[in-house]
Amino acid sequence: MNSNQCVMFLLDSIEFIPLSINWHPYFIFSSDKTKNQPSMGMNNNRVEHFDCHDQQQFQTIIKITQHQQQQELDIAMEIHKVELPPQRTTLHKLKQRLSEIFFPDDPFYRFKNQSCFMKFILGLQYIFPIFQWGPQYNFHLLRSDAISGLTIASLAIPQGISYAKLANLPPIVGLYSSFVPPLIYSLLGSSKHLGVGPVSIASLVMGSMLSETVSFTQDPILYLKLAFTATFFAGVFQASLGLLRLGFVIDFLSKATLVGFMAGAAVIVSLQQLKGLLGIVHFTTKMQIVPVLISVFKQRDEWSWQTIVMGFGFLAFLLTTRHISLRKPKLFWVSAAAPLTSVILSTILVFLLRNKTHKIAIIGNLPKGLNPPSSNMLYFNGPFLALAIKTGLVTGILSLTEGIAVGRTFAALKNYQVDGNKEMMAIGLMNIAGSCSSCYVTTGSFSRSAVNYNAGAQTTVSNIIMAAAVLVTLLFLMPLFHYTPNVVLAAIIITAVIGLIDYQAAFKLLKVDKLDFLACLCSFFGVLFISVPVGLGIAVAISVFKILLHVTRPNILVLGNIPGTQIFHNVNQYKEASRVPSFLILGVESPIYFANSTYLQERILRWVREEEERIKANNGSSLKCIILDMTAVTAIDTSGLDTLCELRKMLEKKLLKLVLANPVGNVMEKLHQSKNLDELGLKGIYLTVGEAVADISSSWKAQP
């Protein structure tokens, strides 16, 4: 083979490496004498043995070919400049940031380009949603709301009496709380299906927190004053959160901790009802599981077989109806009517056997009439004011969390939105009004809302219908509850709180997130063995700890190239992703703040050390460059900037280059203002990881 034939054969044998597969700008060939292997595992074209006499001509053609290939690579991979965001004044940035924090939903967009009169109408509709749907209200909607309102009234009346006793309040206060708050909410609330009234968890927490300091039997007037005052502060706190648009505060109660807290509270509530189910007179006021069980078995001489038979009989009836409604949702009315049916039947039974059932405790006389004003009973001065404020804050957070969660659940089923901040103001204002009209803490009840939804409620008029039914009861039917046995109220409470034990959610937590499951267990056992307020505190502490853990210990991933693409992903997640020789590509999945900057620096240096050890063990290409993928770094502070600067200097001492890829606008702005951009230089920041690898690899090959 002559020299010309040799060169032509060589050119035909050259295969250029596609940029998306291999980053090294040289061609691949091999001979019997010399074999050049590609660094990223490509198949080689083999050049058979040839006899070239003109070595000078051969080397010239090789240089020309390399130059042409480099030009093609430059065309294929254009290096884009990372731009700075548009300049903005500090005032403009502050305004935009506050808008994103407090007005993410932009509630004022409807007022834009409107006349003064229309702005007034829209403002009225925003504050009072009833003016928005009221003009379109018709008889068809009224019929649906009337049916659902009467249905939830049959549930609200016995539940109101029962939950008031759970809070250690007179039973009549529970009915008062089912009259005024629903009327207020129907004017201010945005949920069409929320059934408003007393709830078990808030009642339990209020009763346990107040009774630890003040005895409801020895000083009932002071206890009642503190309950109304706690309700007032709960309403002020809730309305303030809505007015100041600070709803994110309640998000510190995570779903996992709430599952555990609710389950623990449900167990404690159920065990407390053993007093009524067994007919025990002298029962402990403590709310922990151990003292309650000790009190149950210690007072065995007070057990009444008549009470036990009646209590467990009606409990079985209520649980059966609940099971039927769960299995067949169309029969929702069965469980909805069961509590009132139980009250009526048990009252008739005790009345007929009143001469033979002396050991069965009854409610007794309940006063007729509307809610008496209670503004004069608010306790604003005295040694127990701090207790009332603390109780109000705790019950306010719990009731607000439950009410908004329930409202959003049923809104999602009907494909409409519930404004969280408006709900906070509505719930807060109805509790403020309730505290001045002999009511205690109320919110949206899940059981009542579920019945309201299944009964076909269309608007908040269903709450007005329910309040009207309670009004009739207060005015005319109160004497009929004289012989209602306490044991039936205990059975109603147990049936209601059993639904709070969501074991399926706990199993899901165990399967999906072990840390969430641990948080769930801690809050559950905290309620059971310590106390309800402490259990709630544990739940909040665990939620905050989890946030701090994610902020201070963010993920850092090693990225590799997926063959045939310019995509870089986690090498542990994508097995086909391969590390790029001489590069260590790390993805930071968190903002870089003072809280995590030191950890990130230490962790990156550890990755560098481990990568060098891996290369040494595998006899690979020496490490030359570390690329930080900043795509997920949404923000950076001065501590983070200092950390990057220190890290760059430490790597330079090891003859390693630090490069940033795809920093977001906010981060770029901080880098520019801190002069870190000048230190990194033009070759220190790239738009993508792919461009960084290609450009740096090319510069290495261009060097002699």
Side-chain angles (χ1 to χ4, degrees):
M1 182 183 294
N2 60 33
S3 60
N4 290 333
Q5 291 174 330
C6 169
V7 171
M8 294 304 297
F9 181 78
L10 176 62
L11 291 176
D12 290 338
S13 302
I14 292 174
E15 176 183 340
F16 290 103
I17 304 169
L19 181 62
S20 60
I21 298 178
N22 198 307
W23 302 101
H24 295 282
Y26 57 85
F27 53 82
I28 301 174
F29 69 95
S30 66
S31 69
D32 289 343
K33 296 181 179 180
T34 306
K35 295 181 181 180
N36 296 315
Q37 298 296 336
S39 60
M40 295 188 71
M42 288 186 55
N43 294 328
N44 291 346
N45 287 339
R46 187 176 183 83
V47 181
E48 300 298 336
H49 178 71
F50 55 88
D51 183 16
C52 280
H53 300 289
D54 194 346
Q55 296 294 334
Q56 185 176 2
Q57 185 178 2
F58 169 73
Q59 292 176 359
T60 302
I61 292 178
I62 295 299
K63 292 180 180 179
I64 294 173
T65 306
Q66 287 180 329
H67 179 70
Q68 291 175 345
Q69 183 186 19
Q70 184 62 47
Q71 288 180 332
E72 292 181 9
L73 287 171
D74 291 341
I75 294 172
M77 175 58 77
E78 181 184 355
I79 306 302
H80 298 84
K81 182 182 178 182
V82 182
E83 300 290 345
L84 287 169
Q87 284 190 345
R88 296 176 300 168
T89 63
T90 303
L91 182 62
H92 183 267
K93 288 189 285 187
L94 178 63
K95 181 180 178 181
Q96 183 179 5
R97 187 59 182 156
L98 292 177
S99 176
E100 291 174 356
I101 293 174
F102 297 107
F103 303 100
D105 54 343
D106 191 14
F108 304 114
Y109 76 96
R110 295 180 298 175
F111 296 88
K112 295 177 181 177
N113 302 321
Q114 299 289 343
S115 63
C116 293
F117 177 74
M118 279 304 299
K119 287 181 179 179
F120 173 76
I121 297 298
L122 291 173
L124 198 63
Q125 291 177 350
Y126 182 80
I127 299 173
F128 301 101
I130 192 171
F131 289 108
Q132 188 171 356
W133 51 263
Q136 289 82 36
Y137 200 74
N138 53 44
F139 179 77
H140 175 73
L141 296 176
L142 177 62
R143 184 178 61 182
S144 299
D145 288 335
I147 294 173
S148 58
L150 293 174
T151 306
I152 58 174
S154 66
L155 180 65
I157 292 171
Q159 277 191 352
I161 297 173
S162 304
Y163 291 158
K165 291 185 70 65
L166 184 60
N168 302 318
L169 294 169
I172 191 65
V173 174
L175 288 180
Y176 291 157
S177 303
S178 299
F179 171 55
V180 172
L183 292 177
I184 303 296
Y185 182 82
S186 63
L187 297 175
L188 302 174
S190 59
S191 173
K192 301 175 184 178
H193 302 97
L194 200 67
V196 175
V199 293
S200 57
I201 295 298
S203 302
L204 168 69
V205 171
M206 175 173 283
S208 62
M209 292 185 71
L210 293 180
S211 59
E212 286 179 355
T213 306
V214 179
S215 173
F216 60 92
T217 55
Q218 297 177 1
D219 200 344
I221 301 299
L222 176 60
Y223 188 90
L224 195 59
K225 288 182 178 180
L226 293 178
F228 293 152
T229 308
T231 302
F232 175 81
F233 283 112
V236 170
F237 175 69
Q238 293 166 338
S240 300
L241 288 182
L243 185 63
L244 300 176
R245 306 187 70 82
L246 298 174
F248 58 85
V249 172
I250 65 173
D251 294 334
F252 281 97
L253 280 175
S254 67
K255 176 68 181 298
T257 54
L258 280 177
V259 168
F261 175 78
M262 294 288 190
V267 172
I268 289 295
V269 169
S270 300
L271 292 176
Q272 278 283 337
Q273 301 317 303
L274 291 176
K275 173 186 177 181
L277 282 178
L278 302 177
I280 299 174
V281 178
H282 302 90
F283 198 73
T284 181
T285 58
K286 296 181 178 180
M287 302 299 290
Q288 298 85 7
I289 186 172
V290 175
V292 169
L293 291 177
I294 291 175
S295 182
V296 168
F297 291 102
K298 189 177 181 180
Q299 307 295 339
R300 283 177 296 177
D301 55 325
E302 295 185 2
W303 292 10
S304 169
W305 69 268
Q306 297 170 330
T307 304
I308 293 173
V309 171
M310 177 177 286
F312 282 94
F314 279 105
L315 180 61
F317 168 71
L318 291 167
L319 291 176
T320 302
T321 57
R322 181 178 181 272
H323 180 72
I324 292 172
S325 295
L326 288 175
R327 293 291 299 272
K328 297 182 178 181
K330 290 184 178 180
L331 298 178
F332 67 91
W333 55 269
V334 174
S335 62
L340 186 59
T341 303
S342 300
V343 168
I344 294 173
L345 292 177
S346 62
T347 302
I348 294 174
L349 187 62
V350 170
F351 175 75
L352 295 177
L353 302 176
R354 58 187 180 278
N355 295 325
K356 299 180 181 180
T357 56
H358 298 292
K359 291 188 176 182
I360 298 180
I362 59 176
I363 292 178
N365 292 323
L366 295 176
K368 291 196 301 182
L370 293 176
N371 302 32
S374 57
S375 55
N376 59 328
M377 296 184 69
L378 296 180
Y379 187 94
F380 291 134
N381 186 23
F384 301 108
L385 179 61
L387 174 64
I389 295 175
K390 182 174 70 173
T391 305
L393 292 179
V394 174
T395 54
I397 291 175
L398 283 175
S399 59
L400 197 59
T401 303
E402 182 176 355
I404 293 178
V406 171
R408 286 176 174 168
T409 298
F410 290 102
L413 294 176
K414 284 293 186 180
N415 196 27
Y416 68 92
Q417 272 192 323
V418 169
D419 189 329
N421 290 291
K422 286 169 65 175
E423 288 295 286
M424 292 178 195
M425 288 190 287
I427 294 174
L429 290 174
M430 78 180 186
N431 278 318
I432 293 174
S435 67
C436 299
S437 54
S438 301
C439 304
Y440 76 107
V441 175
T442 54
T443 187
S445 164
F446 184 82
S447 57
R448 255 167 291 186
S449 300
V451 171
N452 199 25
Y453 173 82
N454 290 321
Q458 300 296 319
T459 67
T460 54
V461 171
S462 59
N463 277 297
I464 298 176
I465 302 297
M466 181 194 71
V470 173
L471 173 62
V472 172
T473 304
L474 287 170
L475 292 177
F476 306 109
L477 305 180
M478 295 313 298
L480 300 179
F481 292 98
H482 178 86
Y483 286 99
T484 300
N486 290 332
V487 64
V488 170
L489 302 181
I492 291 173
I493 291 175
I494 291 175
T495 306
V497 299
I498 279 179
L500 298 176
I501 304 176
D502 193 351
Y503 63 90
Q504 291 180 340
F507 283 134
K508 185 178 180 181
L509 291 174
L510 176 61
K511 183 178 179 181
V512 175
D513 192 327
K514 302 297 188 294
L515 184 60
D516 271 354
F517 180 71
L518 179 63
C520 175
L521 286 183
C522 289
S523 58
F524 175 74
F525 288 113
V527 172
L528 283 185
F529 292 99
I530 305 177
S531 69
V532 174
V534 172
L536 180 62
I538 291 174
V540 174
I542 292 173
S543 299
V544 174
F545 172 75
K546 186 177 178 182
I547 294 172
L548 292 176
L549 186 64
H550 287 301
V551 170
T552 59
R553 295 295 183 268
N555 287 335
I556 304 178
L557 307 175
V558 178
L559 307 182
N561 175 242
I562 296 179
T565 71
Q566 297 179 20
I567 299 173
F568 289 80
H569 266 299
N570 184 5
V571 294
N572 292 326
Q573 182 180 358
Y574 295 88
K575 300 303 180 184
E576 67 272 22
S578 57
R579 299 171 186 251
V580 182
S582 301
F583 288 91
L584 174 60
I585 307 171
L586 300 175
V588 182
E589 295 188 333
S590 166
I592 303 178
Y593 291 130
F594 65 93
N596 61 18
S597 58
T598 303
Y599 168 79
L600 288 173
Q601 178 178 323
E602 294 173 351
R603 191 68 186 90
I604 291 171
L605 292 174
R606 177 182 166 187
W607 274 118
V608 172
R609 187 185 72 249
E610 292 175 350
E611 181 68 9
E612 290 175 336
E613 292 173 354
R614 187 191 68 83
I615 291 173
K616 185 177 180 181
N618 296 329
N619 294 322
S621 302
S622 61
L623 183 62
K624 298 180 181 179
C625 181
I626 288 85
I627 299 177
L628 293 185
D629 184 0
M630 306 281 283
T631 304
V633 181
T634 56
I636 191 169
D637 65 359
T638 53
S639 297
L641 293 170
D642 292 340
T643 297
L644 288 179
C645 185
E646 292 174 10
L647 184 62
R648 181 183 59 80
K649 293 177 181 178
M650 295 173 72
L651 293 175
E652 283 179 352
K653 291 180 180 179
K654 295 184 176 184
L655 302 179
L656 298 175
K657 182 180 179 64
L658 177 65
V659 171
L660 307 182
N662 195 26
V664 299
N666 181 35
V667 175
M668 275 295 292
E669 191 174 25
K670 296 285 183 67
L671 289 171
H672 174 68
Q673 292 171 348
S674 64
K675 306 300 182 182
N676 278 16
L677 277 182
D678 299 335
E679 296 177 2
L680 288 168
L682 294 176
K683 298 294 184 179
I685 294 185
Y686 290 87
L687 187 60
T688 66
V689 174
E691 291 185 7
V693 173
D695 190 53
I696 296 171
S697 297
S698 301
S699 65
W700 290 343
K701 295 304 174 182
Q703 294 174 359

